């Protein structure tokens, strides 16, 4: 053990020197110890008292002779004390997110948008706010982004934030345009995100653009066709809930990235449109569930909606019965 190595355990150099003295001279008295240490008597007594409290020194007889604790036992005790302190500090840090929420509330109270809606102007301000929201996201990020392709600059900017979120355990659910799969760099980036745990679906016909962070903040453009015009950032629970409902509808109708990529690579897209996510779930339900009521309950939709999906699928497949529809869907690789 080198000089002052015990500082990592919260033992300052002066106290470590006293402990080392008793390791070399066990059972000695403290009468003249302050002279050896070149300190005042009161300081030396206070340091010895703290070392006794830490369990590094102890008195064994009425002559008040002091003995050191065995170094291995003493350091094991100090390690436990230090780890306990670090654990408490870590808990305080992980619980500190409410401080950010409180500061945000203060910011909102003094901002010119007290109704919980903030207008962002310019791409730079929008990007900075997106970076901020993604950095502090704790649970989930939802997005619908109907871009045709991502530039190399966009991918380079997005990758560190996206992968950092996924490494921290943030769930990412993203709906993109099927057109984006025709651009090799964009398709490769989407596959990379999926490999790291992102849930990505593809849709052919959405023009919506939205981002939702932790179901608390939602970002939508002023004009979906021209994002440069600015965006609105909503914090009010009612507005955010409506935007989440819109996302869920788009999500249910979208196709999984793996199926979309597989279909594009095998040329299946030329045989006609593939079923959406909800339609595929209806097809599976038709094959596994007997009654419409049970199928609707399993999918979380009304019986009327379930039956409408069944009728549309039978018409699309050219089937005269549900059994034939299921058979034709299997032949096309839809289920």
């Amino acid at each position: 053990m080198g000089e002052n190595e015990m500082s990592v355990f919260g033992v300052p150099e002066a106290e470590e020197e006293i402990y080392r003295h008793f390791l070399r001279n066990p059972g000695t008295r403290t009468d003249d110890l302050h002279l050896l240490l070149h300190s005042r008597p009161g300081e030396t007594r206070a340091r010895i008292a703290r070392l006794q409290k830490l369990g590094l020194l102890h008195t064994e007889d009425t002559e008040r002779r002091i003995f050191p604790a065995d170094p291995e036992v003493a350091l094991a005790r100090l390690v436990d004390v230090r780890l306990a302190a670090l654990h408490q500090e870590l808990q305080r840090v992980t619980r500190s997110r409410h401080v950010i929420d409180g500061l945000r509330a203060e910011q909102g109270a003094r901002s010119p948008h007290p109704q919980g809606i903030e207008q962002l102007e310019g791409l730079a301000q929008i990007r900075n706010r997106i970076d901020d929201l993604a950095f502090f996201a704790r649970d989930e990020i939802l997005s619908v982004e109907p871009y045709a392709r991502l530039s190399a600059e966009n991918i380079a900017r997005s990758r560190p934030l996206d992968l950092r979120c996924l490494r921290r355990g943030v769930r990412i659910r993203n709906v993109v345009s099927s057109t984006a799969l025709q651009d090799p760099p964009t398709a490769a980036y989407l596959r990379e995100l999926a490999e790291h745990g992102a849930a990505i679906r593809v849709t052919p016909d959405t023009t919506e653009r939205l981002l939702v962070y932790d179901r608390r903040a939602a970002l939508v453009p002023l004009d979906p066709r021209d994002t440069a015009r600015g965006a609105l950032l909503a914090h009010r629970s009612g507005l955010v809930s409506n935007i989440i409902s819109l996302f869920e509808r788009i999500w249910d109708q979208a196709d999984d990235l793996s199926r979309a990529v597989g279909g594009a690579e095998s040329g299946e897209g030329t045989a006609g449109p593939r079923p959406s996510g909800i339609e595929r779930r209806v097809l599976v339900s038709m094959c596994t569930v007997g009654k419409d009521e049970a199928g609707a309950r399993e999918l979380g939709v009304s019986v009327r909606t379930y039956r409408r999906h069944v009728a549309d699928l039978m018409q699309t497949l050219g089937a005269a019965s549900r059994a034939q529809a299921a058979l034709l869907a299997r032949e096309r690789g839809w289920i």
Side-chain angles (χ1 to χ4, degrees):
M1 186 184 296
E3 291 297 325
N4 201 29
E5 287 188 355
M6 294 176 68
S7 61
V8 70
F9 304 114
V11 179
E13 184 176 2
E15 293 177 8
E16 180 178 346
E17 186 177 357
I18 293 174
Y19 177 63
R20 288 175 178 274
H21 167 78
F22 284 106
L23 285 174
R24 295 189 297 267
N25 306 279
T28 58
R29 296 172 60 86
T30 62
D31 296 340
D32 299 322
L33 183 59
H34 65 284
L35 298 176
L36 294 174
L37 300 176
H38 306 289
S39 63
R40 291 191 295 271
E43 290 178 348
T44 300
R45 285 195 297 271
R47 289 166 181 162
I48 290 174
R50 185 171 184 276
L51 289 169
Q52 289 176 320
K53 185 177 181 180
L54 291 174
L56 294 174
L57 299 178
H58 61 274
T59 303
E60 288 191 359
D61 51 38
T62 56
E63 296 182 9
R64 302 193 62 79
R65 292 188 301 167
I66 293 178
F67 293 84
D70 179 82
E72 185 173 351
V73 175
L75 291 185
R77 184 184 298 111
L78 290 178
V79 168
D80 289 342
V81 171
R82 186 61 176 156
L83 287 177
L86 290 173
H87 179 66
Q88 291 178 353
E89 181 67 17
L90 180 61
Q91 286 183 318
R92 285 195 293 271
V93 171
T94 56
R95 289 196 299 262
S96 66
R97 186 62 173 84
H98 72 279
V99 176
I100 298 172
D101 296 337
L103 294 174
R104 288 290 189 206
E106 289 291 333
Q107 182 184 43
R110 295 179 176 270
S111 74
H113 307 285
Q115 294 82 12
I117 303 176
E118 180 182 354
Q119 183 168 338
L120 307 178
E121 298 180 356
L123 288 177
Q125 186 181 15
I126 294 172
R127 285 175 177 173
N128 288 338
R129 185 53 61 87
I130 288 174
D131 289 350
D132 182 45
L133 291 166
F135 184 85
F136 287 110
R138 291 177 295 171
D139 302 314
E140 184 180 53
I141 299 175
L142 312 176
S143 65
V144 178
E145 301 173 279
Y147 49 73
R149 60 180 294 273
L150 287 173
S151 67
E153 178 187 0
N154 284 336
I155 293 175
R157 180 186 179 86
S158 301
R159 178 182 279 114
L161 276 174
D162 289 339
L163 295 182
R164 178 182 180 275
C165 287
L166 291 169
R167 284 195 300 269
R168 289 192 294 116
V170 177
R171 296 185 301 274
I172 291 181
R173 288 199 287 157
N174 188 11
V175 180
V176 301
S177 169
S178 56
T179 307
L181 300 183
Q182 299 174 15
D183 179 63
T186 302
Y189 178 58
L190 293 172
R191 288 196 297 269
E192 179 185 1
L193 292 181
E195 289 169 358
H196 283 82
I200 298 177
R201 290 189 177 183
V202 178
T203 182
D205 56 2
T206 186
T207 58
E208 300 290 344
R209 293 178 184 268
L210 61 90
L211 284 162
V212 182
Y213 297 88
D214 290 336
R215 297 182 174 259
R216 294 183 179 183
L219 188 72
V220 294
L222 285 172
D223 184 350
R225 294 166 296 183
D226 183 9
T227 55
R229 288 189 57 191
L232 295 177
L233 179 60
H235 297 282
R236 292 179 60 182
S237 58
L239 292 173
V240 175
S241 295
N242 287 334
I243 293 171
I244 292 174
S245 295
L246 173 60
F247 170 84
E248 295 294 354
R249 288 197 296 271
I250 297 172
W251 177 264
D252 281 342
Q253 295 170 7
D255 203 5
D256 291 334
L257 176 66
S258 58
R259 283 184 176 270
V261 171
E265 292 177 348
S266 63
E268 290 177 6
T270 60
R274 294 180 59 81
S276 66
I278 185 66
E279 288 173 333
R280 190 169 58 255
R281 289 163 61 196
V282 170
L283 283 168
V284 173
S285 180
M286 287 168 58
C287 298
T288 58
V289 178
K291 295 183 178 181
D292 291 350
E293 289 78 6
R297 185 166 54 253
E298 184 178 272
L299 271 63
V301 299
S302 67
V303 176
R304 182 177 179 182
T305 299
Y306 179 83
R307 287 172 176 165
R308 187 179 71 248
H309 281 304
V310 170
D312 291 343
L313 285 166
M314 289 177 61
Q315 182 177 359
T316 300
L317 290 163
S321 67
R322 296 188 181 197
Q324 185 183 13
L327 180 62
L328 291 172
R330 283 197 181 96
E331 290 178 353
R332 294 192 184 191
W334 287 5
I335 55 175

